Amino acid sequence: MNIETKYWPAELSRAGIEEAAAAIAAGGVVAFPTETVYGLGGDARSTEAVGRIFAAKGRPSDNPLIVHLAHGASVAGLVKEIGAVEAALMDAFWPGPLTLVLPVREGAVSPLVTAGLDTVAVRVPAHDLARELIERAGCPIAAPSANRSGRPSPTQARHVLEDLNGRIDGVLDGGATGVGVESTVVRVVDGMIHILRPGGVTREQLRDAVVGLAIVAEETKEEVRAERRAATAAVGVGTEASLSSRGEQGSSRSSATDAEAPRSPGVKYAHYAPQGEMLLVTGAFERLSSTVQAQARQAADAGKRVAVLSCSEHAAGYRADIVYDCGPRNEPGKAAQTLYATLRECDEQGVDYIVAEGYPEDGIGAALMNRLRKASGGREIEAR
């Protein structure tokens, strides 16, 4: 695959929208900014266009895509029904980083979008360029993240070009994204909201939005163990026994059963991975730094180039080839916003081994920890 990839720079992005929209309307695939990460978009109704998305990314075909819409009203043309809970969530969070999984209307989108399932994932992005692009293209746009499958998601246009230049029709530059991690994906079953993938809308925000109408499902210990097994198996490392026990801690995933997972992107395969090996260190704050430093020193002694991803409170005390200050521990949104760019910079700097501090798993911290676990491929130890 080697095609000319058009680039519309940030200062000319609005002028480029018409060209980008025309490319999508003609069956092409174009990367564009959203408030979460850059998406790789094509006409969701066209199996040929959607097939090009999968081919460009090298994405498994059993991994469903999210359909992006310009307006909430457009969802009615894609789904069989919208329940009261889903309607309340749409009112509360659209436009925004929330994806709803709904029963798909037959023939509304290509079966490649849904991976052959009877549901479709939909959202309205909170980014003016994205919504204008969708509006002008005149079609619902299927769009996973605009990166090679398994790589850290792109939060800048240059990240897209690093992975997909020569494989897609164009890149619409809208500057750096704001949230930095993908949307939250939810499915409502029997009045209960299941979080299939944590993201830019937090569990707490969901709870507040549906008080008196629905409840947000809590995860079970088995789901915690299942996610850890999946993360480990995806990269073929270790066993569950070789990873630290998280005891009563909540998992980054609050979903329905494993059988539901394929209805959401980002839960079945290893994702967001840097080129070097990565280890996540969790546990009590006062014990984190000594364990992280010990792991960094061990890797350095083995001849590896080492980077540490640290909260601001510990960053100055670490000794490694590169130390990234990811922001205060009580502000995980800052770490989430820069995570993917930091992982890509580690690749650029030739880092062989990354040791990352864990964060509290409330609020946006749940999404951050989900991505850190995915990036580390299940390699996690508890600080001692």
Side-chain angles (χ1 to χ4, degrees):
M1 185 181 298
N2 188 13
I3 63 176
E4 180 182 358
T5 298
K6 177 76 173 180
Y7 170 70
W8 297 283
E11 61 272 18
L12 299 176
S13 58
R14 290 206 169 273
I17 284 179
E18 288 195 17
E19 287 186 56
I24 289 175
V29 291
V30 171
F32 62 96
T34 75
E35 78 280 21
T36 57
V37 300
Y38 274 74
L40 178 59
D43 186 343
R45 304 167 304 182
S46 167
T47 293
E48 182 178 355
V50 176
R52 289 192 61 196
I53 293 173
F54 280 98
K57 284 178 60 68
R59 182 185 178 96
S61 60
D62 61 347
N63 202 358
L65 305 182
I66 294 172
V67 177
H68 293 64
L69 305 170
H71 310 285
S74 302
V75 74
L78 301 183
V79 305
K80 292 180 178 178
E81 59 182 350
I82 302 170
V85 178
E86 291 95 330
L89 293 173
M90 289 165 60
D91 288 342
F93 299 111
W94 282 5
L98 180 72
T99 294
L100 297 173
V101 175
L102 296 165
V104 67
R105 186 184 296 275
E106 187 176 356
V109 297
S110 164
L112 287 180
V113 169
T114 63
L117 297 170
D118 60 358
T119 54
V120 63
V122 293
R123 86 176 185 100
V124 177
H127 196 293
D128 291 344
L129 286 179
R131 292 198 306 278
E132 187 173 348
L133 175 67
I134 300 165
E135 186 80 49
R136 296 200 184 192
C139 62
I141 292 182
S145 55
N147 56 295
R148 291 286 286 172
S149 189
R151 295 278 294 128
S153 298
T155 55
Q156 301 173 30
R158 71 177 183 88
H159 299 157
V160 179
L161 291 170
E162 287 170 5
D163 282 7
L164 301 178
N165 192 22
R167 304 179 67 87
I168 63 177
D169 294 291
V171 179
L172 189 66
D173 191 343
T177 61
V179 178
V181 293
E182 294 81 358
S183 62
T184 301
V185 181
V186 304
R187 189 183 186 204
V188 180
V189 180
D190 296 330
M192 186 170 290
I193 300 171
H194 296 275
I195 302 175
L196 304 186
R197 181 184 72 185
V201 172
T202 68
R203 171 185 293 273
E204 294 81 0
Q205 289 173 319
L206 289 169
R207 284 174 177 159
D208 290 345
V210 295
V211 171
L213 183 63
I215 61 174
V216 179
E218 296 292 340
E219 65 215 341
T220 66
K221 289 182 180 180
E222 178 53 35
E223 286 173 341
V224 172
R225 289 191 290 268
E227 173 158 320
R228 294 174 64 78
R229 287 194 298 268
T232 303
V235 292
V237 297
T239 65
E240 185 178 4
S242 72
L243 302 176
S244 68
S245 171
R246 292 174 60 208
E248 299 297 323
Q249 280 183 272
S251 163
S252 58
R253 171 180 167 210
S254 174
S255 68
T257 65
D258 284 343
E260 299 298 326
R263 296 183 185 272
S264 169
V267 298
K268 189 172 182 181
Y269 297 96
H271 288 314
Y272 324 121
Q275 292 172 1
E277 186 177 353
M278 182 169 168
L279 175 71
L280 176 62
V281 180
T282 58
F285 175 71
E286 60 272 15
R287 295 197 294 269
L288 275 180
S289 59
S290 60
T291 302
V292 168
Q293 186 62 71
Q295 293 295 319
R297 185 181 303 113
Q298 182 177 331
D301 289 345
K304 296 180 179 179
R305 181 167 170 79
V306 180
V308 171
L309 275 56
S310 169
C311 67
S312 297
E313 292 86 341
H314 290 158
Y318 284 127
R319 296 294 174 264
D321 294 291
I322 308 174
V323 178
Y324 292 98
D325 182 341
C326 300
R329 183 173 168 81
N330 64 352
E331 297 181 38
K334 292 185 180 297
Q337 189 175 41
T338 60
L339 174 62
Y340 294 145
T342 299
L343 294 179
R344 285 178 174 270
E345 186 172 330
C346 285
D347 292 345
E348 293 170 4
Q349 296 294 325
V351 170
D352 302 305
Y353 198 84
I354 302 168
V355 188
E357 288 189 357
Y359 280 75
E361 298 194 47
D362 51 355
I364 194 69
L368 172 63
M369 288 297 289
N370 172 273
R371 303 319 191 266
L372 285 168
R373 288 191 172 99
K374 288 284 189 178
S376 63
R379 301 176 186 91
E380 179 180 339
I381 64 170
E382 188 169 351
R384 301 183 183 280

